Amino acid sequence: MRVVIAGGHGKIAKLLERELAERGDSAVGLIRNPEHAAALRATGAEPVLCDLEHTDVDTVAGHLAGADAVVFAAGAGPGSGAARKDTVDRAAAVLLADAAQRAGVRRYLLVSSMGVDAPPTAGRDEVWAAYLRAKKAAEVDVTGRDLDVTVLRPGRLTDDEPTDRVTLAPRVPPGPVTRADVARVLLALLHAPHSAGLTLELVGGRTPIADAVAAADRPPAG
C-alpha cells in the first residue's frame, strides 16, 4: 500500500511512517520545510516538498499519483493563531480531499479531535475555539464527498510509550491517548476497508488495537 501523509513531519505522521515502512508499505510525507526531509527518510518515508497553504489542487494531485490512500495529519501547531487554524486544519484538509478526488484516490483518513461537536466553553481560549471549529468544518466537508473517509478523533495526546490497548468507538469518555497508539490505530484503519464512513473517537483503554479496529471494521448487516 502506498500512503501519502499530509503533515509528514508531525509527531503522529513520523510514527505512522515508521509503522508503514516496518509493515512493508510505502509512505510519502508531504512537508513544507526541506530541512525536514532527512527526518522523514530516517523513518523509511519518501519526503515530498509541498506547502499545502501555498499550492494548488493540480500540484497536490500530482503528488498523489499512484497512491492507495491519503492521511491528513497536518496541523497549524502550538503558537499559531486562529487564522492558521483555518488555513491548515480546515483548508489544507479540504485541498487534500480535492486533490484525492482529482487523482482518483478514494481512501482518506482524517485526523481530527475529540470535542469538535460541542461548542467551546465560554471564556475558553479563542485560538482553541478556532481550532475546534476548523476541525469540525474539515470533517463536514471531507465526509460529504464521494470518498471512503474515516475520521479519527483522538483524545488528549501524550508522548508516552505505546500501550497497544485503546478504547475506539463513535463516542467515548474523554481521556488521554499516546501518539504512538494513534499511529498504530491509523495503520490498522488503513487496512480496514469497512471502517470507511465512520467517525471514531480514540482514547487509551483495555482493548487490543487489532480487536478494537476489527470491531469497527465489521461490514454492515445485509
Side-chain angles (χ1 to χ4, degrees), residues 33-44:
N33 186 343
E35 295 181 359
H36 293 161
L40 265 69
R41 292 191 187 98
T43 70

Side-chain angles (χ1 to χ4, degrees), residues 117-191:
D117 284 333
T121 305
R124 189 75 186 263
D125 179 7
E126 175 55 28
V127 174
W128 177 251
Y131 168 78
L132 292 179
R133 287 194 295 267
K135 285 295 190 186
K136 181 61 178 179
E139 288 188 12
V140 171
D141 184 288
V142 174
T143 59
R145 296 167 181 257
D146 183 23
L147 291 170
D148 298 329
V149 181
T150 303
V151 177
L152 185 65
R153 296 173 171 177
R156 180 174 57 82
L157 298 169
T158 77
D159 290 320
D160 295 335
E161 291 297 311
T163 66
D164 288 314
R165 292 179 178 271
V166 298
T167 299
L168 179 71
R171 285 286 184 270
V172 303
V177 61
T178 75
R179 287 180 172 87
D181 284 327
V182 174
R184 291 179 180 182
V185 169
L186 287 169
L187 177 69
L189 288 170
L190 283 166
H191 292 272

